[in-house]
């Protein structure tokens, strides 16, 4: 009736026109609001790429300073050469002389003397691991929004579940817990009767994942699978810690064919392993590009220590080898490759240490650093990316209070400041100081001229150790090969550096190096190397891990004399 009355007063055509205009206005208004709302929701629902870069850290095991093409090696490494040439080569870069120490410093940004791991490595049978009070690099990146994944070698302890990688900041873990093992079977014998399986996914043995694939290839494929399943618009931290090229010397036969010209069998196998590693890094880089990570990525490549000449490695022309504090044991192959670098294609002479990756990568990932962490590392990104001076002026290579084998070491030799029987090494500016026994210190030229095995130590420059020395000083910038000892010429420099060692030592925590725990035997754990502490054990006082120095020395002496038995 109302519509009829309105129609009568306005006329049919006028009414219809008014009705259509009103309807159109209502529809347009409603559609406009809906369209605006839809567009807004669509923008919100489409995930924007993160400003945080993807971080890929490649750690390789026992690769010598000379075992990369761009350092003049006979080993062909086209991928590493190309990535380094397009990035920044780190030519004044230092790590630790052994596996566990380097990895502990990468994960914590702290020197060994501040974590209690200043002596040797973490052994499979020891109830020891990276101290739980330390906040790790993956934990920091995870707090900053990163997805964190580890593939490869852990070697930071596993006696209880709290020590496992997935308990220390990694979302996923696939790899080995020990320092070495068979590349195909993933078995490791620590001593007669102490053998077990060492391939894990998460916190359990990865029996179903084991298809007898060579570990370098298997780890690369696992890393690629992680990249393929992750959303590249979210930041990822991928820690790929290869077992290669650590002994045992094993490699697929097809890689050996490239090195028939190398007569020494150890060196030939080692070279083939490096070539396989180079190909693996190539495949990983292709995956980073294929899955849209590359343009917003920072890749760090680092060896964990110097090469072992007795197992095919070469640090020539540097002095010494893995396990020593000579340059051959601690100066590492390293480079950074990234489209985000300001200055690419450069060689960096900035002083950089493995502890520096912790603050550098956390800050690069827009994370936060706590004042009470007492880090020993520095943020060196500007030094790497822009070529600015490094904030680092010195490096404490280590102070090992247990290793006191220098027969002629004494307080007198250390000017009453320092007992030179203690193994220690310190770098300040151009100067490097060594005390105690630094380790095997010969210079070993490239091992390509003989069919004799490396164990015979042929064709090297021998050092006469009957000189009664326990202290050395070198100008590493002028003499990177450590041929001219200057300790007698510059006693004032020696004293200054000894005082610095003394100050560092006052900040050291007790050394953690507990004796073997026979419950670690894999035969008690389903044939697997893995956590053996129970919940009751975990409630025990952690101070049991920190042994009085004299007690530790007594234990070692008793063991050498054959007085240490299973019940001790």
């Amino acid at each position: 009736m109302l519509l009829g009355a309105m129609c009568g007063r306005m006329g049919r055509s006028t009414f219809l026109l008014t009705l259509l205009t009103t309807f159109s206005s209502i529809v347009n208004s409603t559609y406009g609001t809906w369209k605006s709302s839809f567009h807004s929701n669509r923008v919100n629902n489409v995930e924007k790429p993160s400003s945080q870069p993807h971080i890929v850290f490649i750690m390789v095991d026992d690769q010598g300073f000379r075992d990369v093409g761009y350092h003049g090696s006979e080993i062909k490494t086209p991928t590493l050469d190309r990535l380094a040439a397009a990035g920044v080569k780190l030519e004044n870069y230092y790590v630790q002389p052994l596996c566990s120490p380097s990895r502990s410093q990468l994960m914590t940004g702290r020197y060994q003397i501040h974590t209690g791991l200043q002596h040797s490595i973490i052994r499979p049978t020891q109830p020891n691991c990276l101290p739980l009070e330390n906040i790790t690099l993956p934990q920091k990146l995870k707090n900053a929004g990163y997805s964190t994944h580890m593939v490869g070698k852990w070697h930071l302890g596993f006696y209880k579940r709290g020590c496992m990688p997935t308990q220390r900041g990694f979302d996923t873990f696939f790899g080995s817990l020990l320092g070495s093992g068979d590349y195909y079977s993933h078995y490791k014998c620590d001593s007669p009767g102490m053998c077990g399986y060492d391939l894990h996914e998460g916190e359990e043995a990865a029996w179903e994942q084991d298809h007898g694939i060579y570990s370098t290839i298997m780890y690369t494929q696992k890393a690629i699978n992680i990249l393929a399943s992750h959303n590249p618009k979210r930041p990822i931290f991928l820690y790929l810690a290869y077992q290669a090229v650590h002994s045992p010397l094993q490699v697929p036969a097809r890689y050996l064919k490239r090195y028939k010209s190398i007569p020494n069998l150890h060196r030939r196998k080692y070279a083939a392993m490096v070539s396989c590693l180079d190909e693996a890094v190539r495949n990983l880089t292709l995956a980073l590009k294929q899955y849209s990570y590359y343009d917003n990525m920072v890749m760090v490549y680092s060896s964990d220590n110097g090469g072992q000449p007795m197992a095919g490695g070469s640090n020539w022309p540097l002095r010494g080898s893995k396990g020593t504090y000579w340059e051959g044991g601690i100066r590492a192959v390293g480079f950074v490759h990234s489209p985000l670098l300001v200055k690419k294609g450069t060689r960096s002479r900035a002083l950089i240490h493995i502890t520096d990756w912790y603050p550098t990568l956390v800050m690069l990932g827009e994370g936060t650093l706590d004042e009470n962490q007492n880090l020993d590392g520095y943020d060196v990104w500007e030094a790497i990316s822009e070529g600015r001076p490094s904030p680092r002026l010195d490096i404490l290579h280590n102070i090992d209070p247990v290793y006191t084998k220098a027969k002629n070491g004494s307080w007198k030799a250390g000017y009453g400041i320092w007992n030179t029987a203690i193994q220690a090494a310190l770098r300040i500016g151009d100067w490097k100081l060594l005390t105690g026994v630094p380790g095997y210190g010969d210079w070993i030229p490239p091992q390509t001229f003989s069919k004799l095995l490396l164990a015979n130590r042929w064709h090297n420059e021998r050092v006469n150790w009957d000189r009664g020395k326990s202290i050395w000083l070198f100008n590493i910038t002028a003499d990177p090969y450590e041929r001219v000892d200057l300790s007698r010429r510059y006693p004032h420099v020696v004293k200054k550096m000894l005082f610095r060692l003394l100050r560092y030592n006052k900040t050291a925590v007790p050394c953690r190096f507990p004796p073997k725990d026979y419950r670690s035997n894999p035969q008690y754990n389903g044939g697997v190397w893995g956590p053996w502490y129970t919940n009751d054990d975990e409630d025990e006082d952690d101070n049991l891990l920190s042994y009085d120095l004299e007690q530790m020395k007594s234990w070692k002496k008793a063991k050498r004399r054959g007085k240490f038995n299973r019940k001790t």
Side-chain angles (χ1 to χ4, degrees):
M1 293 175 62
L2 179 60
L3 287 173
M6 289 178 63
C7 184
R9 288 197 296 266
M10 299 175 62
R12 185 181 297 244
S13 60
T14 303
F15 168 74
L16 290 174
L17 180 62
T18 301
L19 186 63
L20 287 172
T21 301
T22 302
F23 178 75
S24 176
S25 176
I26 293 171
V27 169
N28 285 336
S29 175
T30 304
Y31 173 73
T33 303
W34 172 80
K35 180 180 179 182
S36 175
S37 175
F38 173 78
H39 180 70
S40 176
N41 289 337
R42 186 180 179 187
V43 170
N44 291 334
N45 288 334
V46 174
E47 195 170 354
K48 295 180 180 179
S50 171
S51 62
Q52 300 161 288
H54 304 297
I55 299 172
V56 179
F57 198 107
I58 301 174
M59 177 75 83
V60 294
D61 206 345
D62 287 10
Q63 183 176 16
F65 185 80
R66 192 179 175 275
D67 297 329
V68 63
Y70 67 82
H71 280 171
S73 178
E74 74 276 24
I75 301 175
K76 307 302 179 185
T77 56
T79 301
L80 301 183
D81 295 350
R82 186 170 57 252
L83 292 173
V88 177
K89 298 173 183 175
L90 307 178
E91 300 293 19
N92 201 13
Y93 170 53
Y94 288 87
V95 295
Q96 297 308 108
L98 291 169
C99 306
S100 297
S102 282
R103 292 160 206 272
S104 73
Q105 297 195 6
L106 169 66
M107 286 293 142
T108 65
R110 307 183 73 200
Y111 290 144
Q112 293 161 256
I113 65 166
H114 296 146
T115 59
L117 301 177
Q118 55 266 58
H119 181 65
S120 191
I121 60 173
I122 297 177
R123 304 191 181 279
T125 57
Q126 286 181 312
N128 194 12
C129 72
L130 184 68
L132 303 185
E133 62 268 21
N134 290 274
I135 303 172
T136 66
L137 175 60
Q139 285 174 323
K140 278 292 183 183
L141 291 174
K142 189 179 178 71
N143 291 340
Y146 276 76
S147 177
T148 57
H149 304 271
M150 179 182 173
V151 178
K153 171 179 167 178
W154 177 235
H155 204 187
L156 286 175
F158 57 88
Y159 75 102
K160 58 183 179 182
R161 291 206 174 264
C163 302
M164 298 285 279
T166 47
Q167 302 275 348
R168 305 308 303 272
F170 288 105
D171 293 328
T172 67
F173 166 65
F174 179 82
S176 63
L177 298 173
L178 277 61
S180 64
D182 191 282
Y183 279 74
Y184 292 97
S185 70
H186 317 297
Y187 269 84
K188 167 71 174 182
C189 289
D190 184 64
S191 61
M194 295 283 281
C195 302
Y197 183 70
D198 183 29
L199 183 65
H200 298 259
E201 183 159 35
E203 298 175 18
E204 305 299 331
W207 298 105
E208 70 286 351
Q209 296 277 354
D210 185 5
H211 305 293
I213 302 173
Y214 186 67
S215 77
T216 301
I217 297 171
M218 177 178 65
Y219 289 159
T220 304
Q221 188 55 57
K222 191 69 176 181
I224 291 173
N225 290 344
I226 290 171
L227 294 174
S229 60
H230 181 76
N231 180 358
K233 292 178 180 177
R234 289 189 57 233
I236 187 172
F237 172 50
L238 175 60
Y239 175 44
L240 178 52
Y242 282 108
Q243 175 184 357
V245 282
H246 195 292
S247 59
L249 299 178
Q250 297 173 300
V251 67
R254 66 180 183 273
Y255 296 98
L256 278 168
K257 297 177 182 178
R258 306 177 188 180
Y259 297 103
K260 291 181 179 180
S261 61
I262 298 180
N264 186 281
L265 182 59
H266 286 191
R267 182 65 174 169
R268 188 190 314 160
K269 286 184 177 180
Y270 180 92
M273 293 169 74
V274 175
S275 281
C276 181
L277 174 67
D278 185 81
E279 184 178 289
V281 176
R282 175 182 178 272
N283 292 334
L284 178 72
T285 306
L286 290 174
L288 288 165
K289 293 179 178 179
Q290 178 183 352
Y291 297 116
S292 303
Y293 294 92
Y294 182 82
D295 292 337
N296 186 35
M297 172 214 71
V298 173
M299 175 191 288
V300 180
Y301 182 94
S302 171
S303 181
D304 66 341
N305 48 246
Q308 174 54 273
M310 306 307 161
S314 176
N315 304 303
W316 179 263
L318 301 180
R319 184 177 184 176
S321 61
K322 170 184 176 176
T324 77
Y325 287 95
W326 303 110
E327 292 291 285
I330 57 179
R331 187 179 292 199
V333 175
F335 65 80
V336 176
H337 179 86
S338 171
L340 306 179
L341 291 166
V342 175
K343 293 184 178 180
K344 305 179 183 68
T346 62
R347 287 178 179 266
S348 173
R349 295 295 307 169
L351 186 61
I352 296 172
H353 185 246
I354 192 167
T355 53
D356 298 332
W357 294 122
Y358 187 107
T360 300
L361 298 180
V362 169
M363 296 310 294
L364 201 60
E366 301 178 13
T368 58
L369 298 174
D370 304 323
E371 291 184 6
N372 61 357
Q373 285 186 260
N374 298 316
L375 297 180
D376 296 304
Y378 295 83
D379 182 350
V380 293
W381 180 248
E382 289 184 350
I384 295 171
S385 178
E386 302 174 27
R388 297 189 182 186
S390 173
R392 175 176 287 282
L393 302 176
D394 64 357
I395 298 173
L396 176 66
H397 293 302
N398 196 25
I399 299 171
D400 187 341
V402 180
Y403 198 83
T404 55
K405 292 189 176 182
K407 296 179 181 179
N408 296 286
S410 66
W411 286 95
K412 182 179 179 181
Y415 300 96
I417 303 167
W418 183 260
N419 182 0
T420 61
I422 298 172
Q423 184 189 65
L426 173 68
R427 169 84 177 263
I428 301 178
D430 297 329
W431 296 105
K432 178 181 176 182
L433 182 79
L434 297 141
T435 70
V437 177
Y440 172 70
D442 293 351
W443 293 268
I444 307 177
Q447 307 293 330
T448 58
F449 313 114
S450 171
K451 294 182 180 180
L452 297 175
L453 295 179
L454 292 175
N456 293 315
R457 296 187 180 181
W458 53 273
H459 192 67
N460 59 1
E461 298 180 56
R462 302 306 304 276
V463 177
N464 183 359
W465 288 107
D466 297 329
R467 301 173 186 170
K469 284 187 66 60
S470 61
I471 192 165
W472 295 260
L473 178 71
F474 300 98
N475 184 319
I476 289 298
T477 304
D479 178 25
Y481 312 136
E482 298 171 297
R483 291 184 177 274
V484 183
D485 173 31
L486 300 172
S487 60
R488 293 182 180 177
R489 191 183 307 178
Y490 298 103
H492 64 286
V493 176
V494 171
K495 292 176 184 178
K496 178 182 176 181
M497 297 186 75
L498 290 175
F499 274 119
R500 181 70 67 86
L501 272 180
L502 189 63
R503 288 200 298 271
Y504 268 123
N505 199 46
K506 288 179 180 178
T507 69
V509 300
C511 185
R512 300 164 62 100
F513 196 75
K516 177 185 291 188
D517 184 340
Y518 282 90
R519 293 174 299 172
S520 63
N521 195 325
Q523 69 177 330
Y524 305 138
N525 194 26
V528 177
W529 288 105
W532 67 88
Y533 259 46
T534 65
N535 291 334
D536 292 337
D537 293 323
E538 291 187 15
D539 291 335
E540 292 180 1
D541 187 358
D542 271 348
N543 287 332
L544 290 174
L545 295 180
S546 299
Y547 282 76
D548 179 82
L549 212 51
E550 294 305 318
Q551 180 183 351
M552 190 184 303
K553 290 177 182 177
S554 298
W555 170 73
K556 290 186 129 187
K557 288 179 182 178
K559 185 178 180 182
R560 285 196 297 269
R561 294 169 184 166
K563 295 180 180 180
F564 186 82
N565 57 41
R566 182 166 181 166
K567 294 181 180 180
T568 302

